[in-house]
Amino acid sequence: MSWIACAPSNIALIKYMGKLDEERNVPLNASLSFTSHDFISRAELSVADNAAGDCWQPFDDEGVFAGIYLSEQEQSKYIKHLGFIKNHLEFSGNFILKSGNNFPKGAGIASSASSFAALTKAAVQAICELKGGVVLPVEQMAALSRIGSGSSCRSFFSPWALWNGEEVKSLSFGEFDHLSHQIIIVSDKAKKVSSSQAHRLVKTSLLYKDRVDRAETRLKQLIKALESDDWHTVFKICWAEFADMHALFATCDEPFSYISGDSVKALNAATSFWSTYGDGPIVTMDAGANVHVFWRQDQSRLQIQFSGLPELAGFKVINDGNHGNKR
Ligand code: PMV
């Protein structure tokens, strides 16, 4: 018997950075993300007949999900989360757990969010069915998932997700609910500093003092700009927000940076595009070198022009193809 679940990645435009409670992944500030339905993780659980405990395996014959290998540390974090759910649901059987994504992991594309959300869904379904109970409501699944990876709780909600403290909910912003998400892949190498380390290190930055206030102020401004269809202000706020998060990384006690020379090239391409056309994409970066851009549906011609820029010629650009009603 096996249980399969998929979950989308989500990219924060107002970032979760810094924890109030490390054990339970309660954030210091509220965050707002867009859910990207075509960048997904898949998890499959099957009952293990032996009593040797849970184990992880990659997908080897599952097309786009094949070929994602978790390091030993990643496997143990993933299996620990399965153990946490089993414990929470009072289940003592063992599973073989397989997982993969249709995009690179550890490169700032939120693979931990989608993979922990997929695992949580598959585990809850499996255990509830094996115990003959009712599957938990989405809010409870999101709360369980948050314990494994904070930002994964947002992957249960779409098109936008607002996460504040221990609560997450969907938000909708009219025409901005159907954004097209492009990722300029400047590197598919896994990042050297994990987001857990980043959450701790940022607190040592001199810029951290007012970080929560800045994030909360931008969140209010961003919601207002999204509600009033003010795309240029949305762009400016999102740019200021990711630059703020990356400035914390650059100014903490053991400074580090995810931004490479190639990231800067991609960012410059986006700013010069805005200057030339007076219009352009929303831009953000996560904890990785890659650059995320988001377009409105009516910008499809601009999006094609942008993808063909000579400055981006050396990079792979991937699209979620999330136009119009394709959801
Ligand atoms: O959920 P975590 O612990 O992987 O943290 C995610 C942190 C960022 O991706 C950098 C920002 C965010 O809000 O997703």
Side-chain angles (χ1 to χ4, degrees), residues 80-302:
K80 186 176 165 212
H81 185 59
L82 176 57
F84 161 73
I85 296 172
K86 289 193 328 186
N87 198 28
H88 182 83
L89 298 177
E90 296 174 347
F91 180 79
S92 56
N94 293 320
F95 293 108
I96 296 166
L97 160 61
K98 289 187 178 184
S99 71
N101 326 311
N102 65 357
F103 61 90
K105 77 173 170 71
I109 313 178
S111 58
S112 83
S114 51
S115 54
F116 275 81
L119 167 58
T120 304
K121 277 188 193 176
V124 167
Q125 277 162 19
I127 297 170
C128 290
E129 199 177 316
L130 287 165
K131 289 186 71 175
V134 180
V135 173
L136 302 180
V138 68
E139 291 78 10
Q140 280 184 36
M141 281 204 259
L144 288 176
S145 200
R146 194 195 75 224
I147 306 293
S149 155
S151 56
S152 72
C153 68
R154 295 188 310 237
S155 283
F156 289 80
F157 299 89
S158 68
W160 295 80
L162 177 66
W163 172 25
N164 195 359
E166 304 208 32
E167 280 181 20
V168 207
K169 62 177 181 183
S170 300
L171 288 185
S172 170
F173 296 108
E175 64 161 327
F176 299 156
D177 289 351
H178 304 285
L179 300 181
S180 169
H181 179 187
Q182 272 185 321
I183 309 174
I184 305 165
I185 305 281
V186 303
S187 164
D188 59 7
K189 294 206 175 69
K191 59 195 174 203
K192 292 208 174 83
V193 180
S194 71
S195 51
S196 309
Q197 289 168 288
H199 283 291
R200 266 180 232 128
L201 283 168
V202 290
K203 291 186 176 172
T204 64
S205 163
L206 292 178
L207 302 177
Y208 196 72
K209 190 174 148 281
D210 304 318
R211 161 67 191 161
V212 173
D213 288 345
R214 293 196 300 274
E216 299 286 350
T217 302
R218 272 190 213 114
L219 175 63
K220 285 193 197 107
Q221 291 169 336
L222 180 59
I223 290 176
K224 193 168 161 219
L226 288 164
E227 281 172 348
S228 53
D229 294 346
D230 185 351
W231 186 251
H232 187 228
T233 301
V234 171
F235 161 72
K236 288 199 295 186
I237 296 167
C238 294
W239 190 286
E241 171 63 7
F242 86 74
D244 187 352
M245 180 177 78
H246 286 266
L248 294 172
F249 301 153
T251 53
C252 64
D253 274 357
E254 294 161 45
F256 61 98
S257 179
Y258 298 109
I259 301 180
S260 67
D262 283 342
S263 315
V264 174
K265 274 191 203 163
L267 293 173
N268 287 345
T271 42
S272 62
F273 194 88
W274 266 97
S275 322
T276 309
Y277 296 98
D279 197 359
I282 300 176
V283 181
T284 195
M285 289 182 70
D286 217 60
N290 297 316
V291 176
H292 297 259
V293 299
F294 296 87
W295 301 88
R296 303 183 313 266
Q297 281 180 71
D298 63 295
Q299 289 179 306
S300 50
R301 284 183 61 179
L302 282 179

Side-chain angles (χ1 to χ4, degrees), residues 1-21:
M1 252 176 131
S2 66
W3 295 264
I4 296 172
C6 288
S9 86
N10 72 76
I11 298 297
L13 294 174
I14 299 296
K15 312 288 183 182
Y16 150 53
M17 191 40 60
K19 302 182 187 186
L20 186 64
D21 179 339

